[in-house]
Amino acid sequence: MKTNTLIACLVLVVLCSSPGNGQLSSTFYDKMCPKALSIVKAAVKQAVAKENRMGASLLRLHFHDCFVNGCDGSILLDDSANFTGEKTAGSNNNSVRGFDVIDTIKTQLEAACIGIVSCADILATAARDSVVQLGGPTWRVQLGRRDSRSASLSGANSQIPAFTSSLSALTSSFSNKGLSTNDMIALSGAHTIGQGRCTTFRTHVYNETNINSAFATSVKANCPSTGGDNNLSPLDVQSSTVFDNQYYINLKSQKGLLHSNQELFNGGSADSQVTTYSTNRNTFFTDFAAAMVNMGNISPLTGTNAGEVRKNCRKPN
Ligand code: HEM
Ligand SMILES: *[C@@H]1O[C@H](CO)[C@@H](O)[C@H](O)[C@H]1NC(C)=O
Ligand SMILES: *[C@@H]1O[C@H](CO)[C@@H](O)[C@H](O)[C@H]1NC(C)=O
Ligand SMILES: *[C@@H]1O[C@H](CO)[C@@H](O)[C@H](O)[C@H]1NC(C)=O
């Protein structure tokens, strides 16, 4: 082999294998699918314009994806003959939504560049675009995740934190994923948008005392003590379609909708961070953006040997 051919090969090996070194990169699709980010952004914009809540639902999908064996698109897989998916897990059943929007985005991406953009990266990007669309901070989304070939119902049941969690349970659930307590407090600010079902906050509003009584009364009006399990209330009673720091202001006056929300301001070690975010929106925005990048880094599948780029986000290739 001639020397210059050898050098060309070496350069190629470096170039071609760089996505395989386990690192995500914000420029991952710039050459292979230059329109990828603008396609996702336009589709999210349209979906949120149609229904504000969809921004919240897409943000949550990325969280529930990342907490089960990493950000690998596993939450998007339908049940199959080979495995039961994550969609019927306790935290997901009758609760997570937005799958049709992800399908629409995937169809558009496949039309633009076949087999290039993973479903896991669609979730990470759609989460960021949703936050921006609702008035929140932006950040550079790291890309290059590949999709799992399977899902884990048991993982979803055990690893996604529950609304019944104490502060220490929340802290360890995030620490199990390599996320700090500060990341946990900042990421919980996602509850400045979106809705919860009666079944997730009934005990808190009826049977717990660390709640503003006028707020509890107003929530009970749409959440009877029995029945109405799927009735919705805004997680942020003031502004559930705007990504702001109102969630923390609510916690300070005991207007957290979920038990797990109010745990963050209940006389414990998270109080001071909640106070900071309640008075300083920019600090919250900066920390939230950084924590989203950290969450997006949970155990990605990278390189050519791990996982695949699904053609259809609902099933393995
Ligand atoms: C700290 C632990 C967390 C717990 C215990 C928790 C729990 C919940 C619960 C119970 C709901 C209502 C679900 C239902 O009604 O079925 C919910 C909704 C939501 N969660 Fe969380 N969550 C947590 C952290 C997060 C994080 C880290 C994010 C994103 C970064 C997030 C984003 C959302 C959003 C946006 C909604 C509203 C979804 C919609 O309206 O469709 N949550 N969460
Ligand atoms: C189940 O797994 C086998 C072996 O990997 C594969 O050939 C088959 O298509 C899978 N079935 C479904 C429904 O995904
Ligand atoms: C999921 O929800 C459906 C509809 O309410 C219910 O029939 C089913 O039993 C639930 N599945 C699980 C695993 O809880
Ligand atoms: C409230 O507590 C009582 C007594 O423990 C219990 O019987 C009831 O089911 C609880 N209600 C709710 C909504 O959790």
Side-chain angles (χ1 to χ4, degrees), residues 201-208 224-226:
F201 54 78
R202 182 183 284 122
T203 299
H204 180 54
V205 299
Y206 279 92
N207 272 5
E208 294 181 341
S225 54
T226 50

Side-chain angles (χ1 to χ4, degrees), residues 110-312:
E110 289 297 299
C113 359
I114 297 174
I116 299 293
V117 183
S118 69
C119 299
D121 280 348
I122 296 174
L123 289 176
T125 308
R128 188 270 313 268
D129 293 343
S130 294
V131 169
V132 170
Q133 194 60 32
L134 295 174
T138 193
W139 60 92
R140 252 193 218 104
V141 178
Q142 298 296 305
L143 300 163
R145 301 170 189 81
R146 290 164 65 84
D147 299 322
S148 66
R149 295 196 172 91
S150 189
S152 175
L153 175 62
S154 62
N157 277 324
S158 61
Q159 293 169 46
I160 298 170
F163 58 81
T164 50
S165 302
S166 64
L167 175 59
S168 76
L170 294 170
T171 302
S172 48
S173 149
F174 279 69
S175 126
N176 288 341
K177 300 294 167 190
L179 297 173
S180 68
T181 303
N182 205 72
D183 285 336
M184 186 273 288
I185 298 168
L187 288 168
S188 298
H191 289 176
T192 183
I193 54 174
Q195 307 276 323
R197 290 171 306 142
C198 176
T199 187
T200 67
F201 54 78
R202 182 183 284 122
T203 299
H204 180 54
V205 299
Y206 279 92
N207 272 5
E208 294 181 341
T209 52
N210 59 345
I211 185 167
N212 175 287
S213 59
F215 172 64
T217 302
S218 72
V219 172
K220 284 175 191 171
N222 192 39
C223 179
S225 54
T226 50
D229 282 7
N230 293 324
N231 294 2
L232 297 172
S233 278
L235 286 161
D236 168 1
V237 64
Q238 302 290 339
S239 55
S240 71
T241 60
V242 180
F243 197 102
D244 55 17
N245 63 336
Q246 184 66 45
Y247 168 79
Y248 300 101
I249 299 171
N250 296 341
L251 293 185
K252 294 215 53 164
S253 52
Q254 297 195 313
K255 292 179 186 164
L257 185 68
L258 307 176
H259 167 86
S260 53
N261 293 159
Q262 201 57 57
E263 279 291 298
L264 300 184
F265 190 83
N266 199 32
S269 57
D271 284 16
S272 64
Q273 200 59 44
V274 168
T275 299
T276 300
Y277 291 154
S278 75
T279 56
N280 195 329
R281 190 193 74 145
N282 289 348
T283 305
F284 165 53
F285 276 14
T286 305
D287 288 3
F288 182 81
M292 284 296 290
V293 173
N294 292 342
M295 186 173 86
N297 280 336
I298 300 174
S299 314
L301 297 169
T302 56
T304 45
N305 294 322
E308 62 185 18
V309 174
R310 269 179 231 147
K311 296 188 176 79
N312 173 342

Side-chain angles (χ1 to χ4, degrees), residues 1-21:
M1 205 185 279
K2 282 189 189 151
T3 314
N4 49 0
T5 317
L6 190 65
I7 290 169
C9 289
L10 282 172
V11 169
L12 265 178
V13 166
V14 171
L15 279 177
C16 297
S17 63
S18 59
N21 66 2

